[in-house]
């Protein structure tokens, strides 16, 4: 068995940034469910949290796991679960796109704290602001159908 420790910070939004996860209780239930389901699928979630319209998840990849497969399993199953539970009046969906960035071992605690403090963080900053910061900080290309557009970057 190989020894591997590769941390990925995933961030993804609800479809069209709809604030489906509007209450702390609903968010707690969603994060708990995602963690429990991931464990059953041998996905190691180090830390998970988010806000009304997005989720942050720090994952330690297994040697046979891909980012795409992890996101399919987490997002697809959690959408199915929340809809099956009838926790919302409308149909819940996650956005197709997601961010995924590697995290060095020396920065894991910093990323955990960032994820942990999402409620506080978003009392001062919108999801749109955070999204745009990720685009700029990591040099991601902005696509035509990106949910947030900057002038001249569409």
């Amino acid at each position: 068995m190989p020894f591997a420790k590769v941390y990925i910070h995933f961030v993804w939004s609800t479809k069209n940034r709809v604030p489906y996860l509007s209450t702390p209780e609903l968010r707690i239930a969603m994060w708990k469910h995602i963690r429990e389901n991931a464990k059953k699928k041998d996905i190691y979630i180090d830390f998970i949290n988010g806000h009304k319209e997005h989720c942050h998840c720090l994952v330690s990849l297994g040697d046979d796991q891909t980012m795409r497969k992890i996101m399919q399993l987490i997002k697809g199953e959690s959408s199915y679960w929340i809809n099956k539970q009838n926790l919302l009046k409308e149909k819940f969906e996650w956005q197709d796109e997601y961010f995924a960035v590697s995290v060095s071992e020396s920065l894991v605690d910093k990323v955990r704290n960032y994820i942990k403090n999402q409620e506080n963080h978003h009392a001062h900053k919108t999801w749109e602001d955070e999204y745009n910061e990720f685009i700029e900080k990591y040099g991601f290309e902005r696509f035509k159908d990106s949910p947030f557009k900057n002038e001249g970057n569409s």
Side-chain angles (χ1 to χ4, degrees), residues 44-108:
Y44 177 71
I45 295 180
D46 182 279
F47 214 93
I48 186 169
N49 200 5
H51 207 247
K52 298 174 184 179
E53 70 290 274
H54 70 284
C55 180
H56 289 260
C57 194
L58 181 61
V59 174
S60 179
L61 289 181
D63 68 311
D64 63 343
Q65 295 174 324
T66 66
M67 293 182 294
R68 178 177 294 193
K69 189 65 174 172
I70 284 175
M71 283 291 88
Q72 285 175 340
L73 292 171
I74 289 175
K75 290 166 54 180
E77 197 286 333
S78 60
S79 292
Y80 173 79
W81 171 80
I82 200 167
N83 288 320
K84 186 176 178 186
Q85 299 299 311
N86 291 316
L87 297 175
L88 299 169
K89 293 177 184 167
E90 61 269 90
K91 183 181 177 199
F92 179 90
E93 291 181 81
W94 293 113
Q95 192 87 4
D96 289 336
E97 70 177 16
Y98 58 89
F99 291 104
V101 294
S102 61
V103 177
S104 71
E105 185 80 27
S106 64
L107 293 176
V108 167

